[in-house]
């Protein structure tokens, strides 16, 4: 009888360990995206992925921070020259490192209208390739440099007139068509929830 009880306890322990590993290693489920902009709120997408029929989720990380606050989302204009917001504004203090969200090549690093701008053509995203833009950014790379996902391409410059709070404006284009840069990020990056242990076969697990 004692051996049988020990065997049952051991079996429960093994199942608990296996299910715990499954929960911890599996990506968290995606959630419906809303219009919140707080650090714990769903991230707004602003509209369809783009006129090219979709944007591949090749991003491996956010350009700044781990999950920055979105100060203003993508607002596609009704016409090519209409009013809108051609990108997203991410809260970022001056001096914050700006990173390439995916591998590619620097297509521009310089100043436009007094603001530092860095653009990266993303590898393996078609012809013409997708191109990310970041401003205001003090570049630490040169035009033509190859960059890996997560590589620092510059730092956020002091506050500009674009945002009401310190930020970096992140844009995405294919040729001259603006797209939603958040579409580059997979769901698990857009909203990462905490992992939780689950009870198994009556074995209590601390909350």
């Amino acid at each position: 009888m004692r051996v049988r009880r020990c065997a049952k306890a051991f079996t429960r322990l093994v199942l608990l360990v296996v299910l715990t590993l499954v929960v911890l290693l599996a990506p968290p489920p995606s959630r419906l995206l809303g219009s919140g902009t707080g650090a714990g709120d769903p991230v707004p997408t602003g509209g369809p992925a783009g006129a090219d029929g979709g944007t591949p989720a090749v991003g491996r990380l956010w350009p700044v921070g781990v999950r920055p606050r979105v100060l203003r989302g993508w607002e596609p204009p009704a016409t090519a020259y209409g009013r809108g917001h051609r990108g997203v504004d991410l809260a970022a203090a001056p001096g914050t490192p700006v990173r390439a969200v995916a591998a590619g090549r620097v297509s521009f690093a310089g100043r436009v209208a007094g603001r530092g701008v860095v653009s990266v053509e993303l590898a393996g995203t078609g012809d013409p390739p997708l191109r990310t833009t970041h401003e205001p950014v003090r570049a630490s790379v040169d035009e033509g440099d190859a960059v890996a996902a997560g590589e620092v391409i510059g730092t956020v410059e002091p506050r500009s007139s674009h945002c009401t709070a310190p930020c970096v404006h992140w844009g995405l284009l294919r040729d001259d068509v603006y797209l939603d840069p958040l579409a580059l990020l997979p769901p698990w990056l857009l909203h990462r929830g905490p992992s939780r242990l689950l009870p198994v076969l009556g074995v209590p697990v601390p909350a």
Side-chain angles (χ1 to χ4, degrees), residues 44-120:
T45 59
D52 64 340
T55 300
V58 296
R60 294 295 174 262
L61 71 168
W62 290 83
V64 289
V66 176
R67 188 175 182 274
R69 188 161 56 99
V70 177
L71 300 177
R72 185 178 179 186
W74 185 63
E75 301 166 11
T79 64
Y81 301 100
R83 297 182 61 182
H85 191 234
R86 296 165 172 82
V88 296
D89 294 337
L90 305 177
T96 299
V98 180
R99 303 177 185 276
V101 299
R105 187 170 298 277
V106 178
S107 58
F108 180 84
R111 305 198 73 78
V112 176
R115 294 193 295 266
V117 178
V118 178
S119 298
V120 178

Side-chain angles (χ1 to χ4, degrees), residues 140-154:
S140 59
V141 291
D142 296 317
E143 186 173 330
D145 285 353
V147 293
E151 185 172 342
V152 174
I153 57 177

Side-chain angles (χ1 to χ4, degrees), residues 125-160:
T125 56
D127 185 21
L130 291 171
R131 184 172 80 255
T132 57
T133 61
H134 317 76
E135 62 172 287
V137 174
R138 181 175 290 109
S140 59
V141 291
D142 296 317
E143 186 173 330
D145 285 353
V147 293
E151 185 172 342
V152 174
I153 57 177
T155 55
V156 178
E157 290 185 328
R159 188 180 196 171
S160 71

